[in-house]
Amino acid sequence: MSIAKAEAYVHPEKRILVTGGAGFVGSYLCERLLEAGAHVLCVDNFYTGARSNVAHLDAHPRFELIEHDVCVPLHVDVDEIYNLACPASPIHYQRDPVQTTKTSVLGAINMLGLAKRLGARVLQASTSEVYGDPAIHPQDETYWGNVNPIGPRSCYDEGKRCAETLFFDYRRQHGLEIKVARIFNTYGPRMQPNDGRVVSNFIIQALKGESISIFGDGAQTRSFCYVDDLVDGLIKLMASPKDFTGPVNLGNPEEYSMVELANAVLSKTGSTSRLAFFPLPEDDPRQRRPDITLAAGLGWQPTTPLQVGLQRTVAYFRDLMTAQRLEREGNVDAASATVAAAS
């Protein structure tokens, strides 16, 4: 496949289910699928997703929103399934670790069962967390990972690993058409300000003039992919040849230390916040960077530089904080208009 708009890979007549569709990534995916002409069924239980993320889609004639927990079987008629439902930030997935594991495992079982009944193609949103604290760098899809199976992060890490196992077992046992994406750190507008992810944390602290909280010595690295680029990758992976199952890394191979990210955020916000250092949390990976050779073979590569993506994300959070101030002052209409414009 050559590099092209991801929408070109979507059949306009398809009915497509997006679980976790009111979440950060899911809401962008719903938008893009609608723009391509598909009929979109957005399913979310709003544990971490927000109705406001998809409120602008409510009136769209090809959009339907259903409040539903993927831990419970779902009976709908669709052609494709994107399974994105699961809390993705440590604060959220550690809040109820048992439920997090259930969402990954039972959600996968229910979506695979639905796909099997319908003969639908199904994509699993997995994660770079399956690599744990990696012993090889960068990480390619052949690496089995270095995950602590009983640590505080394992509800997410092992839940996603088990979901991958289920997807490949359904393919081997039932011939199901599957796709598995291993998603690396993603950022952009519509991130929740309190979700504990490093990009949103740094931006909010900088805009408030608070100290920037860096855990460890700040030399640990991550690779940050802008949400539009990730959605491109998901759509292209779904449309890839039948025998291409993945898993495939979707992430930006540009690598930044936490100190480098903090300084970039300070530059974009104009903040005078200082850096504050705290002990590194248990099992926090020290480095993370994807090898995207497989994804490149599908005609995908990220195109949004960190500086550009950060500028857009800072603008979003600045508008969000303005809206929150207007709401506190009782100017609800102005607050709503500000948030709508920011998204």
Side-chain angles (χ1 to χ4, degrees):
M1 292 185 182
S2 60
I3 296 175
K5 284 277 190 182
E7 287 84 347
Y9 299 97
V10 181
H11 193 287
E13 298 302 317
K14 281 186 176 177
R15 285 178 52 82
I16 301 176
L17 168 63
V18 180
T19 72
F24 164 47
V25 173
S27 62
Y28 282 97
L29 178 59
C30 288
E31 280 181 350
R32 296 285 285 280
L33 294 172
L34 288 170
E35 288 169 5
H39 297 259
V40 176
L41 178 59
C42 172
V43 168
D44 208 295
N45 69 349
F46 304 109
Y47 180 67
T48 58
R51 292 181 186 274
S52 59
N53 285 341
V54 292
H56 61 295
L57 304 177
D58 280 344
H60 197 291
R62 287 182 277 104
F63 179 77
E64 183 179 357
L65 175 62
I66 296 178
E67 184 171 356
H68 183 84
D69 189 329
V70 294
C71 291
V72 178
L74 180 66
H75 302 284
V76 293
D77 186 10
V78 293
D79 301 298
E80 291 178 350
I81 302 168
Y82 288 84
N83 186 34
L84 275 60
C86 189
S89 70
I91 284 179
H92 291 149
Y93 66 64
Q94 290 175 353
R95 182 186 302 160
D96 189 344
V98 172
Q99 187 61 36
T100 295
T101 304
K102 285 182 177 180
T103 300
S104 288
V105 177
L106 294 179
I109 289 171
N110 287 329
M111 291 306 107
L112 287 163
L114 177 62
K116 178 174 174 282
R117 289 192 297 275
L118 298 173
R121 180 173 286 194
V122 57
L123 182 149
Q124 168 66 14
S126 189
T127 173
S128 62
E129 297 297 331
V130 301
Y131 298 124
D133 189 4
I136 68 167
H137 195 73
Q139 297 80 53
D140 66 28
E141 293 86 350
T142 65
Y143 179 50
W144 289 0
N146 178 35
V147 175
N148 177 359
I150 59 171
R153 300 169 67 99
S154 59
C155 59
Y156 185 67
D157 303 358
E158 295 288 31
K160 290 291 191 178
R161 284 161 69 96
C162 185
E164 287 194 14
T165 299
L166 286 162
F167 265 67
F168 281 91
D169 282 339
Y170 263 77
R171 174 174 170 78
R172 284 185 286 263
Q173 188 170 341
H174 303 294
L176 202 63
E177 290 191 30
I178 66 163
K179 307 290 176 182
V180 175
R182 289 178 177 167
I183 298 172
F184 283 66
N185 292 63
T186 306
Y187 72 101
R190 294 185 202 153
M191 296 180 79
Q192 293 189 27
N194 62 344
D195 71 358
R197 300 190 212 199
V198 65
V199 171
S200 51
N201 272 4
F202 283 6
I203 292 174
I204 292 295
Q205 289 171 336
L207 290 175
K208 289 183 175 180
E210 301 172 350
S211 296
I212 305 295
S213 300
I214 295 181
F215 296 93
D217 61 6
Q220 67 271 31
T221 65
R222 295 294 185 271
S223 302
F224 300 100
C225 186
Y226 191 66
V227 63
D228 282 349
D229 291 335
L230 174 65
V231 170
D232 271 338
L234 292 173
I235 292 173
K236 288 180 179 178
L237 176 57
M238 179 65 94
S240 63
K242 179 179 179 179
D243 291 337
F244 186 87
T245 62
V248 58
N249 291 335
L250 294 180
N252 194 321
E254 294 183 355
E255 186 177 9
Y256 295 88
S257 72
M258 296 301 96
V259 169
E260 288 173 330
L261 176 66
N263 286 331
V265 168
L266 291 175
S267 174
K268 292 300 178 185
T269 57
S271 174
T272 57
S273 294
R274 297 178 178 273
L275 307 186
F277 293 83
F278 300 91
L280 194 68
E282 185 178 352
D283 296 332
D284 193 65
R286 295 188 177 273
Q287 53 185 5
R288 188 68 61 71
R289 176 161 69 93
D291 180 320
I292 61 168
T293 303
L294 276 180
L298 296 176
W300 179 82
Q301 59 185 13
T303 60
T304 308
L306 180 67
Q307 296 296 331
V308 174
L310 278 183
Q311 188 69 48
R312 297 171 185 168
T313 309
V314 166
Y316 168 77
F317 279 116
R318 200 187 298 275
D319 287 343
L320 183 65
M321 292 173 66
T322 298
Q324 291 171 340
R325 176 181 57 79
L326 290 169
E327 191 169 351
R328 287 194 301 270
E329 294 171 354
N331 197 340
V332 177
D333 290 341
S336 298
T338 302
V339 171
S343 298

